[in-house]
């Protein structure tokens, strides 16, 4: 079975990465993380893709909350 992508909302992404939602907004504005725009004010994120983008950009291991 093909694993399903882990699609989450901004609040959940911020919680998992232990950052504020404003930080998520800043990363989006700087195009550091990938996102899916559903409507003008609603975005979704694939957690694994965001984590990979942050690791690549910062060259470090991000430590997500479990």
């Amino acid at each position: 079975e093909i694993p399903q992508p882990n699609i989450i909302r901004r609040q959940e992404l911020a919680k998992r990465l232990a950052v504020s939602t404003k930080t998520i907004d800043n990363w989006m504005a700087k195009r550091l993380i990938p996102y899916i725009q559903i409507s003008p004010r609603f975005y979704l994120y694939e957690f694994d893709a965001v984590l990979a983008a942050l690791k690549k950009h910062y060259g470090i291991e991000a430590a997500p909350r479990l």
Side-chain angles (χ1 to χ4, degrees):
E1 182 179 320
I2 298 171
Q4 294 296 312
N6 194 359
I7 305 294
I8 56 177
R9 294 179 180 213
R10 184 179 66 157
Q11 189 71 33
E12 178 65 19
L13 181 63
K15 181 179 172 185
R16 288 192 193 186
L17 295 174
V19 298
S20 70
T21 55
K22 183 65 176 164
T23 296
I24 301 298
D25 293 341
N26 290 339
W27 287 342
M28 288 173 58
K30 293 177 184 176
R31 302 267 188 224
L32 294 183
I33 60 172
Y35 58 88
I36 303 162
Q37 185 170 4
I38 303 301
S39 71
R41 295 183 59 196
F42 185 65
Y43 302 89
L44 292 175
Y45 310 85
E46 185 178 347
F47 183 68
D48 293 337
V50 170
L51 203 55
L54 291 173
K55 286 178 183 180
K56 182 178 179 182
H57 179 76
Y58 289 107
I60 58 171
E61 281 290 314
R65 282 188 181 169
L66 300 177

